[in-house]
Amino acid sequence: MNALQPDTLIKNPHACEVETSVEVPANAASVWAVVGNFARFDRFIPALEHIEMTGEGVRSLRKKFFRDGQNLVVEQLNSHDDQAMHMTWTLIYNTLGIDNLWAAMRVEPLADNRCRATWTIIADHTDAHTPSGFRDFLQGFADEAMGNVQVMFK
């Protein structure tokens, strides 16, 4: 019998990358207070009913409960830097047909009290999704969320 070796089901995804970037008419710190709050994505994603957190900071887990009452996503915070205004996280579990997912959020200050908020998602789909349909799903989800951030600061 072979000895067990370290392994993991979490793998870096590579199949589909989407990015949404919006210019926001507000200072970067104010926008980061919204999009950089891992526990409060429900503030700008209307599909979320609520979020439950386990732990704080890097390695904390976020459970996102959707308004449809059927879908759930569990993610782990990988990195979070308030000074640089960026963070990354990884998918642990979901009911949305996503195999693996890695995401990043960042905010960059611009001139004239404006900033750019960018959400990057790299994911692998299950066989339940066609590649083009999956990309459209991810892009639409991110676009709507970041559009909501833009509206929050108008």
Side-chain angles (χ1 to χ4, degrees), residues 4-128:
L4 295 176
Q5 296 292 316
D7 62 357
T8 181
L9 295 175
I10 299 172
K11 306 208 182 314
N12 287 327
H14 54 76
C16 176
E17 181 174 346
V18 300
E19 187 167 272
T20 297
S21 188
V22 293
E23 194 170 302
V24 182
N27 71 64
S30 296
V31 174
W32 179 248
V34 173
V35 300
N37 187 341
F38 190 64
R40 289 303 316 270
F41 271 40
D42 55 341
R43 290 181 65 193
F44 60 94
I45 300 176
L48 295 178
E49 181 179 293
H50 71 282
I51 293 173
E52 293 177 5
M53 294 295 299
T54 302
E56 292 181 18
V58 173
R59 293 187 188 89
S60 63
L61 296 179
R62 167 174 75 181
K63 279 184 171 179
K64 298 189 304 189
F65 295 86
F66 286 76
R67 290 195 186 281
D68 65 10
Q70 298 174 12
N71 286 300
L72 170 70
V73 171
V74 178
E75 297 163 319
Q76 181 178 30
L77 185 62
N78 298 329
S79 69
H80 192 276
D81 187 328
D82 281 329
Q83 288 187 326
M85 292 186 280
H86 61 72
M87 68 177 170
T88 64
W89 63 95
T90 303
L91 179 72
I92 304 290
Y93 172 82
N94 77 98
T95 58
L96 298 172
I98 301 170
D99 273 348
N100 296 306
L101 180 143
W102 174 90
M105 184 71 76
R106 68 184 182 276
V107 176
E108 306 163 78
L110 302 173
D112 302 324
N113 201 40
R114 295 174 300 117
C115 66
R116 178 173 296 110
T118 304
W119 189 358
T120 303
I121 302 170
I122 304 173
D124 295 331
H125 60 85
T126 64
D127 293 337

